[in-house]
Amino acid sequence: MEEQNRHPAPHHRPGSPVRSGIPEHGRIPKYYAVKARIAELLDELGEGGVLPTERDLAERYEVARETVRQALRELLLEGRLRRAGRGTVVAGPKLEQPLSLASYTEGVRRQGRRPGRHLIGLERFPCPPELARGIGAETGEPVWHLERVLLADDERVGLESTYVRVARAPRLDVDFQPDSSFYGYLRDSLGISFGDADEKLETVLATPREALLIGTPPALPMLLIHRFSRDQDGLPLERVRSLYRGDRFSFTTRLRPE
């Protein structure tokens, strides 16, 4: 008779850590045990449900308030909770943004959310050498810098900086609606289509200015995407720096064999 497996596969939700993150020796920090119990409470409350106060949770789980506070900090960073006024409520699912040439507007609409953008500034300045190659410009040539806060159902979720040669969009400051899709403007008003792009994705912490504009604590992890795009003829078109809240966004892509 075959020897039974002494360590059978644990039962857990698909995509969650095996054994809920409990190490093999079975010892876990007290805050993590409280976090797991609060996570179960969030499932019971449902999206938009109001979480009890730190004092109430500390009494319920018979732990110090600092232990509860640490558990709540992690749940906030993971996007399971969000602040609402003076209280804390259960957050909805993260926005899934495809890693593709589709615009932010299209990606948000596909999930039944209302996309929007708030203009921070549109300025024209001489192109510095470090930017010139990425957008196909000459050093000193006029370029646009378009900076906007990204919105989803009026919630601030990111910050986007776009750089493009003035020669490619000479009337950007006149014809373009700042709360609309820049890609849509290029396509519909200027007849420019996107060909391909190079992207780099990394995690960062927001600067104090970025955190203020997005409305998040500086310690909140952010997802940063650098994109260099080319048009249908393979010519450099734009450089985009997009900063997304790590607690409100995830990114998806489909991989194919080369």
Side-chain angles (χ1 to χ4, degrees):
M1 182 177 179
E2 292 184 0
E3 182 181 355
Q4 290 186 345
N5 185 355
R6 295 182 181 179
H7 302 285
H11 175 72
H12 65 284
R13 294 181 178 180
S16 66
V18 175
R19 295 179 60 188
S20 297
I22 300 173
E24 275 62 29
H25 56 55
R27 298 186 298 273
I28 61 171
K30 184 178 291 186
Y31 87 89
Y32 193 90
V34 173
K35 175 186 172 184
R37 297 182 69 179
I38 295 177
E40 294 176 355
L41 176 61
L42 303 187
D43 292 336
E44 296 174 10
L45 292 174
E47 181 178 348
V50 180
L51 196 69
T53 65
E54 288 182 3
R55 176 178 295 178
D56 291 340
L57 291 171
E59 292 178 355
R60 176 184 299 202
Y61 302 126
E62 300 180 338
V63 296
R65 288 183 65 178
E66 180 54 37
T67 302
V68 170
R69 195 170 293 127
Q70 187 173 358
L72 295 179
R73 276 198 296 265
E74 288 204 359
L75 290 167
L76 280 164
L77 289 175
E78 292 172 4
R80 297 292 309 277
L81 296 171
R82 63 179 177 85
R83 300 295 189 191
R86 293 187 175 182
T88 304
V89 300
V90 182
K94 290 187 177 184
L95 288 159
E96 292 186 359
Q97 187 75 351
L99 287 171
S100 69
L101 280 173
S103 71
Y104 169 81
T105 300
E106 295 166 354
V108 172
R109 279 178 177 161
R110 278 200 293 265
Q111 296 171 75
R113 304 286 295 274
R114 187 177 72 258
R117 291 176 174 86
H118 172 69
L119 179 67
I120 300 301
L122 174 60
E123 58 179 339
R124 172 176 171 159
F125 63 96
C127 186
E130 59 271 19
L131 175 62
R133 181 178 179 183
I135 61 173
E138 298 289 338
T139 298
E141 177 184 345
V143 297
W144 294 116
H145 172 222
L146 173 66
E147 185 179 35
R148 298 180 292 175
V149 172
L150 302 175
L151 307 172
D153 292 341
D154 295 324
E155 178 186 12
R156 289 179 286 176
V157 294
L159 184 66
E160 181 181 76
S161 287
T162 302
Y163 300 87
V164 64
R165 296 170 58 208
V166 170
R168 300 301 300 266
R171 293 176 54 84
L172 186 66
D173 58 336
V174 177
D175 298 336
F176 178 62
Q177 297 298 320
D179 60 348
S180 65
S181 168
F182 179 62
Y183 288 8
Y185 168 73
L186 291 178
R187 181 187 63 241
D188 300 335
S189 298
L190 303 179
I192 299 174
S193 299
F194 282 82
D196 60 9
D198 296 321
E199 282 192 340
K200 181 176 73 172
L201 174 64
E202 58 184 315
T203 57
V204 298
L205 296 178
T207 67
R209 176 181 180 271
E210 291 167 338
L212 182 64
L213 289 173
I214 302 173
T216 62
L220 182 70
M222 297 283 181
L223 297 169
L224 173 62
I225 290 185
H226 299 276
R227 173 183 284 189
F228 291 90
S229 304
R230 290 171 288 272
D231 65 15
Q232 67 270 32
D233 298 319
L235 299 176
L237 179 57
E238 61 158 6
R239 175 182 175 180
V240 182
R241 183 184 187 273
S242 300
L243 194 65
Y244 298 92
R245 289 176 52 167
D247 63 335
R248 300 305 299 134
F249 268 92
S250 63
F251 288 87
T252 61
T253 189
R254 175 172 293 181
L255 303 178
R256 296 180 174 86
E258 293 184 359

